Amino acid sequence: MVLIGLDIGTAGCKAVAYSQEGKALSSAYGEYGLLAKGRFVELDPEAMFSAVLSCLRSTAAHIGGHETAALAVSAMSDTFTPVGFGGKPLTNAIVSFDRRAMDEACELESLFGREEIYRMTGLPIHPMYPACKLLWMQHHHPEILDAAWKFLCCESYVLWRLGGRAAASYSMGSKSLLYDNEKKDWSDPLLKACGVKRSQLPELLESGTCAGTVSGEIAAETGLSRKTKLVCGGFDQACCALSCGVLDPGDLLDTTGTNEIIYFMAEHGQTQKLLESNMMFSPHVKPGSYASYAHILSAGGAFRWCRDILYGSRQGGLQATYDAMASGCREQPCAVFFFPFLAGMGTPEMDPKVKGCYWGLDLSTDRQAMAQSVLEGVTFEFRSNIELIQQITHQSFSQIKSVGGASKSSYWMQLKANITGLTLNIPERLEPGACGAAILAGVGCGLFSDVCEGVSVFQKSIRYRPVSPERKAEKAYD
């Protein structure tokens, strides 16, 4: 029995096939890229789905005679596609960090109030959410609202195109600013304000719920079994957390990509503090539980900026650049300070106007010092948010699991341990989003009784590499 986890990102997708014991059997990656112009950031949904089909064809070919039991989707949140009654996209998909709806975010806040919106949705008002962009459509392109059959997030769009129902997990639907946390349903007041009908949104289902089977056309095109169940997965960060066993209070997951996310379990009594810290409160993919995350804008992005400005392109790619940057870094804190706000400040401020800064430069400052200070600056922001999470949850942390691009750098991982005083546990050769989706696929086809059983099975195939603080360096950074 084979389970497939499909991870949909902003620039590419990955499909990974797993055995029922949780061992990765094959994987495939496809790119599609973003279309950006000023405040408008979009992607072509047809190009995205074409990449999905390519990945599924490759994956099905590699697993040979194994029959695929189920497939589930882990996807970026806040990105959606208007689909017409004929089944064709009416526009490109609008990506989360598209900034066209800043005025509409202010309008919704003025109409409902920040605290009331948070009480209903568990989200601090922000222009990235689909509700704000749908209101923008109402103002600028009402004909799209009239012509739309459905507004589908990436999870819903892929499930529907593969032959399933147009369904979204609670985990994904809750990132729309149209979802009522208490009712576990779409919010009628917010729908009315944005000019959207309930029938234009996907069906809401629990993560791990079957939403249909692969169509005959898709089965013929990809080589997947016609019996393959299509299962609701969830928000990509929630799926990443699931793959690493982040299910209970006190569990933490650090994911460093372009931005950095510190994902943690949350409880109803913490909502006021979460709102004050500009952190969401929304359903985890573990039924009945809720989670939140701290957000460091442009963490990996700051590294790439530093790489491009100071080092340029290097033969050997990303790992070679990590190695070159780390090779000359000192064991002690750098005398130069870097404020890592190249895309604004993340939690708790979430202020897009704040700028980045080098401080302490002199004639002796070299390239290595500037590179080290970038990594230190991002990591001090990481520590600041860890301390904030401890205050909100009243939990004391000693360990954190860490995935993403930064986990490939032994220097950066050691730096994180030294600056925070935490032990980092780094899973080896794990595709966390796809793995979490595959666990949910196992629940949806009945292989696992619940997500806890699925996590228990998959964790047996994952090895973690611990990185503990070095006492001398930890004291110096503290």
Side-chain angles (χ1 to χ4, degrees):
M1 186 178 288
V2 175
L3 306 171
I4 293 180
L6 185 60
D7 189 22
I8 311 292
T10 53
C13 62
K14 177 166 283 189
V16 185
Y18 295 87
S19 70
Q20 62 187 41
E21 293 81 25
K23 295 181 179 179
L25 303 173
S26 70
S27 68
Y29 178 74
E31 291 186 356
Y32 33 84
L34 293 175
L35 307 169
K37 186 176 181 181
R39 293 183 303 156
F40 296 74
V41 185
E42 302 174 344
L43 64 82
D44 180 349
E46 294 288 358
M48 176 188 72
F49 190 67
S50 178
V52 166
L53 290 180
S54 176
C55 287
L56 292 178
R57 273 194 299 271
S58 177
T59 302
H62 278 87
I63 58 179
H66 296 291
E67 183 169 300
T68 305
L71 176 156
V73 179
S74 161
M76 54 185 164
S77 64
D78 319 328
T79 297
F80 71 97
T81 303
V83 177
F85 285 91
K88 295 290 185 182
L90 299 175
T91 70
N92 285 326
I94 302 175
V95 176
S96 59
F97 40 87
D98 175 287
R99 295 181 294 117
R100 73 184 69 189
M102 296 177 75
D103 291 342
E104 285 71 20
C106 293
E107 183 178 337
L108 286 174
E109 183 171 2
S110 162
L111 186 62
F112 291 96
R114 186 167 180 266
E115 293 208 358
E116 176 61 13
I117 288 177
Y118 195 87
R119 185 195 66 77
M120 285 190 289
T121 68
L123 300 176
I125 185 72
H126 193 280
M128 67 182 169
Y129 296 122
C132 302
K133 290 157 185 171
L134 288 167
L135 184 56
W136 180 90
M137 279 187 185
Q138 186 185 64
H139 291 161
H140 299 277
H141 291 285
E143 72 280 4
I144 296 176
L145 288 182
D146 293 337
W149 165 64
K150 295 286 183 185
F151 296 99
L152 299 178
C153 62
C154 289
E155 176 191 32
S156 308
Y157 185 78
V158 170
L159 289 174
W160 170 67
R161 288 291 302 269
L162 291 175
R165 306 202 298 278
S169 61
Y170 295 132
S171 167
M172 187 65 70
S174 67
K175 306 303 182 298
S176 64
L177 204 76
L178 293 168
Y179 174 87
D180 190 313
N181 257 342
E182 291 181 1
K183 297 178 180 178
K184 297 183 75 172
D185 196 3
W186 300 117
S187 166
D188 289 320
L190 286 165
L191 293 179
K192 183 178 179 180
C194 296
V196 179
K197 300 172 186 174
R198 178 179 285 266
S199 62
Q200 290 178 302
L201 295 177
E203 177 185 2
L204 289 166
L205 298 173
E206 194 75 74
S207 294
T209 302
C210 181
T213 57
V214 165
S215 70
E217 179 184 354
I218 294 297
E221 191 167 350
T222 61
L224 292 175
S225 166
R226 178 67 179 82
K227 297 177 182 178
T228 302
K229 288 183 168 59
L230 298 170
V231 177
C232 277
F235 169 44
D236 55 5
Q237 293 298 327
C239 288
C240 289
L242 182 68
S243 73
C244 292
V246 175
L247 299 172
D248 300 305
D251 294 339
L252 289 174
L253 177 69
D254 173 43
T255 304
T256 308
T258 299
N259 299 327
E260 185 165 10
I261 299 292
I262 310 168
Y263 194 89
F264 62 98
M265 305 305 292
E267 298 175 352
H268 285 277
Q270 297 160 356
T271 54
Q272 184 59 39
K273 289 183 178 179
L274 290 169
L275 173 60
E276 291 168 1
S277 301
N278 280 301
M279 296 181 190
M280 60 118 191
F281 177 76
S282 66
H284 190 21
V285 292
K286 176 187 177 184
S289 60
Y290 288 79
S292 185
Y293 62 81
H295 198 178
I296 303 168
L297 300 175
S298 204
F303 162 76
R304 281 194 291 274
W305 170 82
C306 174
R307 175 197 67 188
D308 295 343
I309 295 297
L310 298 180
Y311 292 84
S313 60
R314 298 182 67 87
Q315 189 174 4
L318 190 63
Q319 189 60 50
T321 309
Y322 272 135
D323 295 341
M325 290 177 67
S327 63
C329 289
R330 291 77 169 171
E331 292 183 3
Q332 293 299 303
C334 187
V336 176
F337 292 88
F338 180 72
F339 297 84
F341 309 126
L342 301 184
M345 185 178 277
T347 50
E349 293 84 357
M350 289 301 288
D351 189 342
K353 299 184 294 296
V354 176
K355 302 294 184 183
C357 175
Y358 270 114
W359 184 86
L361 300 174
D362 59 30
L363 292 174
S364 69
T365 302
D366 59 16
R367 182 172 68 166
Q368 292 295 155
M370 295 177 74
Q372 180 173 338
S373 68
V374 167
L375 297 180
E376 289 177 345
V378 170
T379 307
F380 272 116
E381 192 70 3
F382 172 66
R383 168 174 165 162
S384 177
N385 275 278
I386 290 287
E387 292 173 348
L388 180 59
I389 292 168
Q390 290 184 142
Q391 293 171 15
I392 292 170
T393 62
H394 304 292
Q395 297 280 342
S396 180
F397 307 118
S398 60
Q399 301 188 53
I400 184 170
K401 291 175 179 174
S402 186
V403 297
S407 65
K408 295 179 174 65
S409 168
S410 56
Y411 174 78
W412 199 349
M413 291 296 97
Q414 189 62 63
L415 187 67
K416 284 190 173 192
N418 291 343
I419 286 179
T420 62
L422 301 178
T423 294
L424 278 67
N425 292 306
I426 304 158
E428 296 179 347
R429 296 183 295 279
L430 175 69
E431 295 292 344
C435 180
I439 292 170
L440 293 168
V443 174
C445 70
L447 178 62
F448 306 130
S449 60
D450 56 25
V451 296
C452 293
E453 182 186 354
V455 168
S456 177
V457 170
F458 269 62
Q459 285 290 303
K460 293 174 184 175
S461 298
I462 300 173
R463 289 187 176 184
Y464 290 89
R465 173 171 58 89
V467 179
S468 299
E470 298 167 328
R471 290 188 178 277
K472 185 177 179 181
E474 180 186 358
K475 184 176 180 181
Y477 276 112
D478 194 59

